[in-house]
Amino acid sequence: MRSRLVLHAVDSHTEGMPTRVITGGIGTIPGATMNERRLYFREHRDDIKQLLMNEPRGHSAMSGAILQPPARADCDWGVVYIEVSGYLPMCGHGTIGVATVLVETGMVEVVEPVTTIRLDTPAGVVVAEVAVEGGAARSVTLRNVPSFAVGLDRKAVLADGRSVTYDLAYGGNFYAILPLDQFGLPFDRSRKDDILAAGLALMDAINAEDEPVHPEDPSIRGCHHVHLYAPGSNARHSRHAMAIHPGWFDRSPCGTGTSARMAQLHARGELPLHTEFVNESFIGTRFTGRLLGTTEVAGRPAVLPSFTGRAWITGTAQYLLDPEDPFPAGFVL
Ligand code: PYC
């Protein structure tokens, strides 16, 4: 057996969505902040991200997280998120996977009934409170980065001429949020190709007309996620399909999307603070969220979201690269 590298991983899934947690083999990525490390890795080590996420080691909806020493003194671990589609500033399901792996592999000191882990992410500090019973992580509650509505009832014109009305909100990534029935489509997995095509068409229109940019960090930009909610959804219980660039659905209820949705509902006056909000994914799995308070981001009103979900470890692996492998960066079909 020969290999040019050995990447150690603990694979997990959060409410159905994979997180491949890279626990060794990469070392400390250059950069004074976790966002600088994200940008450095994107620029210089994208071959490793591709190898880990693309086929044949990954698949078209693969997602992962590279563990790092924190770049800030007030955090326990740092995280750089990786996906088939790129490098997210923050990923909620991925962070629930990371916190579960850290507890269950003993990479943090485990305290029962709650182990608190402070994570340095490219979007800011995220606090994970892991409910632990007999050494097992039962659920993870995250206190996410400040989230805010960018605009309500915005209009976009799609390439085929259709006009669509949507809300835009930030929850660690930017999300366009709108009812699925604006596209005349049922909330039915048998129509997933049409639902995905609708989400991607809206993303293209938004990024072409008015690409969103984070007011405090211009490296966080673009709308790559479209939250299409099902008929009957409301500010207490919502079901949705989350279409993600370049063409896949989140299997989990999407943590940053749940945060953005709560910020949007709060901006609409529909979700007060400290009120439970259940967000359901396209496969029927759930996160339970609530808003813990209000704040400001660059002078605009923002909220402090938290949400709870569960993750399970699915395996451990050492990913190798044979020097004669014809697909050193994998491939996307
Ligand atoms: O849970 O934040 C999330 C997420 C983003 C993309 C996929 N999952």
Side-chain angles (χ1 to χ4, degrees), residues 85-107:
S85 33
Y87 297 83
L88 297 183
M90 167 57 195
C91 176
H93 90 267
T95 309
I96 290 175
V98 162
T100 300
V101 166
L102 288 173
V103 164
E104 295 213 346
T105 57
M107 292 177 79

Side-chain angles (χ1 to χ4, degrees), residues 151-166:
L152 304 179
D153 297 320
R154 292 161 64 113
K155 305 272 182 228
V157 179
L158 308 187
D160 64 6
R162 272 180 301 172
S163 171
V164 173
T165 305
Y166 67 99

Side-chain angles (χ1 to χ4, degrees), residues 83 88 91-93 175 225 244 248 250 252 254-256:
E83 272 187 2
L88 297 183
C91 176
H93 90 267
Y175 288 84
H225 301 78
I244 304 184
W248 54 283
D250 198 339
S252 86
C254 195
T256 51

